[in-house]
Amino acid sequence: MTRSTFIAIAGIMLSATLNASQDFPVQTDFAAEDFQQRRDAVYAAIGDNIAIIQGAEEVDGFIVFRQSNMFYYLSGLETPSAYMLLDGAKKETTIYLPHRDPERERGEGKRLAAEDEELVRAVSGVERVRPIEKMGTDFTYAYLVRPPTPALYTPFSPDEKEHQSRDEVLSGLGRRIADPWDGRPSRSGQFIQLLTLRYPQFEIRDLTLILDKLRLIKSKKEIDLIRKASELAGLGIAEAIRSTRPGVTEYQLEAVAHFIFIMNGARGLGYSAIVAGGTNAWMGHYFANSDPLSSGDLILMDVAPDYHYYTSDVARMWPVNGSYSRDQRDLYGFIVEYQKALLRHIRPGLTPDEVMTKAADDMLKVFEKIQFSKEIYRNAAEGAFTFNGHLSHPVGMSVHDVGDYRHRVLEPGMVFSIDPMIWVPEEMLYIRMEDVVVVTPQGVENLSDNLPVELDDLEQLIQEDGIIQKMR
């Protein structure tokens, strides 16, 4: 059977099996062909070798399971304790799943199991589905009995799950290793140890960079999901702006945004929300969100949903009392103009450094027109011209997504945040805003442009009553 024939049959199977199996929670954002194309790229990278990807583990307690990003990216399957074997020589993928657990399903609902081979193949486009206990013997007979033994690729870096990005997961791992009463390795590290112990014949290689390069360039369907997540982020922040009054707490504004996300089909937050009034914003990733808002302060809000395994990264700052002071207008207005300058120059073929150089040249004219009331404000704005982080991290399945776009020319399909910022350490002021953009063949699209940028427009939003006021 040819690959195209298999994919066509899989599409027919998916339609039929979904109609017959509505009780199963099955994703519908991607077709089996989408996952097959991604796995084809892995085959091309590993040659005649094999790759194994470990799905997310079972969860404890009353926690809704969420698949790890990489396993979902290559299969669309959301069953815990699943494994994926990609055979580069045969161009064949096998999914290993636990057996059906009727008692658990009676309490929690249906989940795909090894017994659901037809539906699993229809959703993911894989060629084989096997029970998890068969993986060890399959390994032995397929790759060890008759040499030569292929190399075995698996991700060395820990995968991301709910609310997680790899940089933060690695930081947490470092802290855990430093704990003399803990010291556990990452789950991926433990998996590699088991592979090495049980199958010393394999040369184990890192699959991480191969997968990261694939995820850096987003498909149209992925961009559509990130666009939706960005729009919801804008709606949530806009409603929080409307609800802002002195005395309202930071956590209440977080709840407002969370409500908007859930009401529009998101799973919840894509990362811990930053809702920071006054000097709390000085802590770049403040997320206690416990303080009441004070008149005269600016508030920083940085939040986005987890929407069908994709997120965004959007932030604005606005005055708690509804009106920017002159100094706040100078500082935040400077950042707003910096955002516009960056957007003017993002396009394929330029490097990020070239974009920032062009934007800095534009901003010199803006800088010269502002009569800052304090020298420390002028110094802070001047420091923006040499700061290298206004074009920030990739965004996708994680808020700090994988892949490196900073050391290459920009290409269509790259999605990242623009995050112009300045610091005034003498007054513990941190001023910033953030949007998520995608590079297009023509230039750039701001995926979060439904949220106002101009200071007057943000002030106008504050004059409206939000959810909090309407509930009182």
Side-chain angles (χ1 to χ4, degrees):
M1 180 186 299
T2 66
R3 176 64 55 79
S4 60
T5 302
F6 173 80
I7 292 173
I9 293 174
I12 296 171
M13 289 170 57
L14 176 59
S15 177
T17 51
L18 286 181
N19 289 334
S21 307
Q22 293 298 323
D23 292 339
F24 286 93
V26 176
Q27 69 81 29
T28 56
D29 294 305
F30 301 98
E33 182 179 6
D34 298 319
F35 300 116
Q36 186 63 63
Q37 289 174 349
R38 296 169 182 175
R39 294 194 298 270
D40 285 344
V42 176
Y43 295 144
I46 67 175
D48 289 340
N49 298 300
I50 62 173
I52 301 177
I53 297 170
Q54 185 181 40
E57 68 271 28
E58 280 280 4
V59 294
D60 298 324
F62 297 106
I63 300 173
V64 178
F65 173 78
R66 185 189 187 280
Q67 186 58 272
S68 62
N69 286 344
M70 193 52 67
F71 197 91
Y72 185 87
Y73 181 78
L74 293 174
S75 72
L77 301 174
E78 300 180 78
T79 301
S81 301
Y83 293 81
M84 183 187 313
L85 171 64
L86 293 91
D87 188 316
K90 296 180 179 178
K91 305 295 187 293
E92 180 180 88
T93 296
T94 304
I95 294 288
Y96 292 92
L97 295 175
H99 287 287
R100 165 139 290 110
D101 185 344
E103 291 185 6
R104 183 169 187 177
E105 288 188 345
R106 234 183 347 261
E108 300 178 6
K110 292 287 187 69
R111 62 170 57 181
L112 291 176
E115 288 75 16
D116 304 306
E117 178 176 358
E118 183 179 353
L119 183 55
V120 171
R121 291 176 63 191
V123 170
S124 63
V126 301
E127 288 78 12
R128 301 172 71 229
V129 180
R130 300 273 286 164
I132 192 171
E133 72 273 11
K134 297 293 185 181
M135 191 165 80
T137 53
D138 286 355
F139 255 38
T140 301
Y141 289 112
Y143 306 115
L144 300 181
V145 172
R146 296 183 180 85
T149 300
L152 189 159
Y153 285 82
T154 196
F156 285 11
S157 293
D159 205 350
E160 325 97 349
K161 296 182 281 294
E162 190 168 28
H163 285 200
Q164 293 181 336
S165 295
R166 184 184 296 158
D167 55 352
E168 292 301 316
V169 174
L170 288 171
S171 295
L173 173 63
R175 290 188 290 270
R176 190 168 72 236
I177 290 173
D179 180 352
W181 296 97
D182 192 336
R184 288 168 294 159
S186 66
R187 188 163 179 261
S188 58
Q190 184 179 31
F191 184 52
I192 292 167
Q193 287 180 348
L194 285 174
L195 289 172
T196 302
L197 178 65
R198 295 174 179 178
Y199 305 103
Q201 301 93 327
F202 286 116
E203 174 194 348
I204 299 181
R205 300 176 183 174
D206 190 6
L207 188 64
T208 302
L209 288 179
I210 293 172
L211 299 176
D212 287 357
K213 288 179 181 178
L214 291 181
R215 282 175 56 185
L216 179 63
I217 306 297
K218 270 64 175 180
S219 68
K220 181 184 181 302
K221 290 180 181 179
E222 290 182 287
I223 293 168
D224 287 343
L225 290 173
I226 301 170
R227 182 183 293 108
K228 180 65 173 180
S230 301
E231 291 173 353
L232 292 185
L235 291 174
I237 293 174
E239 193 59 37
I241 293 172
R242 294 187 185 96
S243 294
T244 298
R245 301 289 187 277
V248 169
T249 58
E250 295 165 339
Y251 63 77
Q252 287 177 310
L253 296 191
E254 177 184 351
V256 166
H258 200 169
F259 172 77
I260 296 297
F261 299 163
I262 295 293
M263 283 292 292
N264 285 278
R267 177 184 176 94
L269 300 177
Y271 52 94
S272 294
I274 300 170
V275 188
T279 56
N280 286 342
W282 179 254
M283 297 173 278
H285 287 92
Y286 167 85
F287 51 79
N289 302 344
S290 57
D291 290 347
L293 305 179
S294 299
S295 181
D297 285 344
L298 288 176
I299 181 168
L300 166 66
M301 188 168 194
D302 184 333
V303 67
D306 179 353
Y307 184 78
H308 298 207
Y309 282 81
Y310 287 81
T311 189
S312 184
D313 197 3
V314 183
R316 294 289 186 272
M317 297 188 79
W318 62 92
V320 173
N321 62 14
S323 298
Y324 292 95
S325 68
R326 180 208 158 175
D327 289 337
Q328 290 169 348
R329 276 191 167 270
D330 286 343
L331 293 170
Y332 193 62
F334 178 79
I335 290 301
V336 169
E337 293 304 314
Y338 223 121
Q339 182 248 30
K340 297 175 187 176
L342 292 165
L343 285 172
R344 277 195 296 272
H345 296 292
I346 296 172
R347 62 178 182 269
L350 290 183
T351 67
D353 285 345
E354 289 172 331
V355 171
M356 285 190 287
T357 297
K358 291 176 181 292
D361 290 342
D362 288 357
M363 287 303 298
L364 278 172
K365 301 172 185 176
V366 176
F367 176 75
E368 291 168 356
K369 293 179 180 179
I370 301 176
Q371 300 297 316
F372 293 102
S373 68
K374 297 181 183 180
E375 191 65 21
I376 56 175
Y377 297 162
R378 184 176 183 83
N379 292 338
E382 195 169 23
F385 298 125
T386 55
F387 178 62
N388 198 37
H390 299 311
L391 295 186
S392 196
H393 49 81
V395 178
M397 301 187 82
S398 293
V399 61
H400 294 176
D401 208 24
V402 298
D404 178 18
Y405 78 94
R406 292 296 304 273
H407 300 95
R408 53 190 290 183
V409 298
L410 298 177
E411 299 177 34
M414 290 181 175
V415 178
F416 52 86
S417 71
I418 56 173
D419 194 7
M421 61 187 79
I422 56 176
W423 295 263
V424 186
E426 295 86 350
E427 296 182 2
M428 294 182 67
L429 286 177
Y430 178 36
I431 310 294
R432 59 181 284 251
M433 65 180 295
E434 191 166 19
D435 288 276
V436 169
V437 303
V438 57
V439 180
T440 68
Q442 295 75 31
V444 65
E445 178 189 352
N446 183 357
L447 298 176
S448 48
D449 64 356
N450 67 320
L451 182 62
V453 170
E454 302 295 345
L455 281 70
D456 291 347
D457 293 335
L458 293 171
E459 285 182 341
Q460 184 60 43
L461 270 182
I462 304 173
Q463 305 311 311
E464 303 173 16
D465 281 342
I467 292 175
I468 293 176
Q469 288 71 44
K470 293 174 181 177
M471 291 177 62
R472 291 175 174 173

